[in-house]
Amino acid sequence: MQAEGMKKNLYSFGALLAALGAALLLAFSPPPPALITIGGQGFGQNVNLARLAGEIGHYQWPSRHRVKILRAFNPPTSPWGSGHRGVDLDMSAGSEVFSARAGTVFFVGTIAGKPSISIKHTKLIRTTYTPVTSDLAVGTAVKSGQKIGILQPGHPGLHFGAKIDDYHYLNPLLLILGPIRLLPDA
Ligand SMILES: [Zn+2]
């Protein structure tokens, strides 16, 4: 009888430890990420959707209106790997290019020999437009939909890119359209 009682106590002690362990795990591990994978597995493609709650749907087409996607997003599988770090939008050279969201000019210059402008929108997201010439200076505040430059020849249409945390490439269409309908136009 006594042994039985001790066994019971041991069991409940074990259960208590298990519960404590579970509670500790819950307290110290991040919530399960709601990951979306864009275009396959690899570097910079997995994004926790919960982190993008304030981003998705707050961006607009840099062409002002929806245009055809000439080339889809195909992020590199390593920081220097090959791929397509944005989407190409069907716009002709000479077209006006508009900021996808309000923000601050982060960079104006050349990227891989092509004139480019980057806008920092939030703590998380900045967008880049190539090949685009701009009169704007770094640090200039821009409104959503404000003209930021003129598309130049040298790439199929407008190369529109987005980065999260200043490092990972993100499909910029995700910011405009959400996780659905990310396929290129047929
Ligand atoms: Zn491109």
Side-chain angles (χ1 to χ4, degrees):
M1 211 50 194
Q2 212 178 6
E4 193 67 16
M6 251 176 87
K7 218 169 157 191
K8 237 183 192 164
N9 278 343
L10 264 178
Y11 279 140
S12 45
F13 185 64
L16 186 73
L17 269 185
L20 211 74
L24 277 173
L25 265 180
L26 274 178
F28 292 106
S29 57
L35 291 177
I36 49 152
T37 305
I38 310 158
Q41 294 296 326
F43 171 79
Q45 291 171 54
N46 292 325
V47 178
N48 188 331
L49 265 191
R51 287 190 72 204
L52 292 174
E55 307 289 348
I56 287 173
H58 293 273
Y59 292 75
Q60 57 176 277
W61 295 90
S63 44
R64 191 97 82 189
H65 304 290
R66 184 180 176 144
V67 290
K68 210 174 139 186
I69 295 140
L70 297 176
R71 194 176 162 205
F73 179 65
N74 179 25
T77 51
S78 69
W80 296 276
S82 63
H84 192 222
R85 291 160 166 81
V87 293
D88 292 342
L89 302 182
D90 191 8
M91 293 168 69
S92 44
S95 299
E96 294 182 318
V97 177
F98 307 96
S99 183
R101 189 181 187 177
T104 306
V105 177
F106 179 82
F107 172 86
V108 183
T110 55
I111 296 174
K114 287 173 183 161
S116 304
I117 178 169
S118 286
I119 313 281
K120 180 92 175 166
H121 301 285
T122 62
K123 259 175 89 175
L124 277 186
I125 302 291
R126 72 177 200 238
T127 54
T128 299
Y129 312 77
T130 305
V132 172
T133 50
S134 177
D135 301 332
L136 298 176
V138 169
T140 306
V142 295
K143 292 179 182 141
S144 184
Q146 183 178 326
K147 180 190 156 189
I148 53 171
I150 299 290
L151 181 61
Q152 303 299 314
H155 198 78
L158 171 70
H159 181 91
F160 175 41
K163 271 187 173 182
I164 180 166
D165 295 329
D166 292 325
Y167 187 65
H168 294 287
Y169 295 97
L170 182 72
N171 188 337
L173 298 183
L174 176 72
L175 301 169
I176 301 172
L177 300 171
I180 318 157
R181 298 167 65 204
L182 281 174
L183 294 173
D185 292 350

